[in-house]
């Protein structure tokens, strides 16, 4: 079943001095429920713009985003709220935009609070389950994210992204800032949870070696376009 259909998506940024940047041109891509799609391409080719557009963190300039058949591009921000539960994102630097004073329990439980889910006790229960799921100790709840290593912080970000039982997670360079040995731990964790919970993942990386082992299909981007798309083995065989 198709979960998300990206149809002819385009994005033009209007920079300073009236300069226009065409970051996405006519990008079309389907994501099936439970599928991992890798998106790879050099820096500046439009990967982040694509990933962020799916959550409407960036407003597309044209095209459609059919989520379970409904185009979410024309929806008002307020009408997006139910979809926000189903679509989550993990960034390279997960705590860049989060309040550094918040403890890990708060960071992970916040999406539940924002969406008014459960009682306080049920939310705390869920936070404890999520810590187990991502392999963090229970006492992480009362500590601050900056007390943790890069890999552990990415586990916190994954737990937060899973709090609302999403259908699709965009992993935007989620392991790029980590040491190679830690990278594989986090990639394996994401792959394990993806299977266990049957989530779709759009796995964005500038590094093919990061996504090739976990992606069912791979899209290669160049200058705002998808220039190649296919099953992972197929794409890997092409020179
Ligand atoms: P990638 O994730 O592949 O590195 P991005 O989606 O970040 O690529 O960027 C695609 C293009 O859009 C680049 O040329 C980048 O400089 C440009 N760009 C990204 N964000 C903005 C912005 N807010 N204003 C103007 N140009 C932008
Ligand atoms: P704070 O008091 O730190 O601002 P809140 O009490 O508003 O945080 O809780 C926000 C969310 O964070 C809760 O709904 C819960 O999911 C999670 N949370 C906070 N403290 C704990 C805790 N001690 N154990 C488990 N989860 C917690």
């Amino acid at each position: 079943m198709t979960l998300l259909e990206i149809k002819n998506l385009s994005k033009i940024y209007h920079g300073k001095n009236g300069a226009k940047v065409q970051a996405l041109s006519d990008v079309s891509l389907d994501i099936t429920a439970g599928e991992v799609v890798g998106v790879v391409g050099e820096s500046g080719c439009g990967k982040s713009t694509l990933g962020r557009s799916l959550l409407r963190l960036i407003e597309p300039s044209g095209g459609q985003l059919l989520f379970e058949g409904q185009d979410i591009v024309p929806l008002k921000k307020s009408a997006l709220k139910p979809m926000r539960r189903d679509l989550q994102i993990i960034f390279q630097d997960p705590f860049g935009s989060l309040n550094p004073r918040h403890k890990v329990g708060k960071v992970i439980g916040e999406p539940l609070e924002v969406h008014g889910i459960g009682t306080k006790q049920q939310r705390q229960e869920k936070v404890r389950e999520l810590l187990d799921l991502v392999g963090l100790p229970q006492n992480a709840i009362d500590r601050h994210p900056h007390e943790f290593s890069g890999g552990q912080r990415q586990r916190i970000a994954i737990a937060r992204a899973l709090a609302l039982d999403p259908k699709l997670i965009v992993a935007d360079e989620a392991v790029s800032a980590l040491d190679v040995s830690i990278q594989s731990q986090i990639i394996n964790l994401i792959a394990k949870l993806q299977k266990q919970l049957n989530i779709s993942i759009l796995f964005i990386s500038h590094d093919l070696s990061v996504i090739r082992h976990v992606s069912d299909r791979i899209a290669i981007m160049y200058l705002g376009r998808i220039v190649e798309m296919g099953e992972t083995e197929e794409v890997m065989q092409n020179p």
Side-chain angles (χ1 to χ4, degrees), residues 34 36 57 63 66 80 117 137 142 204 230:
V36 182
L57 300 177
L66 302 170
L80 272 177
I117 292 164
D142 290 317
I204 295 174

Side-chain angles (χ1 to χ4, degrees), residues 208-234:
L208 186 58
S209 66
V210 161
I211 57 163
R212 60 180 291 192
H213 297 295
V214 291
S215 301
D216 299 307
R217 287 187 300 145
I218 291 179
I220 299 178
M221 289 187 71
Y222 183 69
L223 296 179
R225 293 178 187 275
I226 293 180
V227 291
E228 194 178 342
M229 173 83 220
E231 305 281 325
T232 300
E233 298 91 88
E234 201 184 312

Side-chain angles (χ1 to χ4, degrees), residues 101-113 117-128 131 138 141-142:
R101 288 191 303 271
H102 285 173
K103 292 178 181 164
V104 171
K106 173 85 174 174
V107 167
I108 297 175
E110 198 173 46
L112 297 163
E113 248 184 299
I117 292 164
T119 61
K120 182 156 185 158
Q121 201 180 354
Q122 287 167 330
R123 290 196 293 268
Q124 294 190 351
E125 183 74 20
K126 177 80 179 184
V127 168
R128 284 191 278 268
L131 286 172
Q138 292 290 315
I141 284 174
D142 290 317

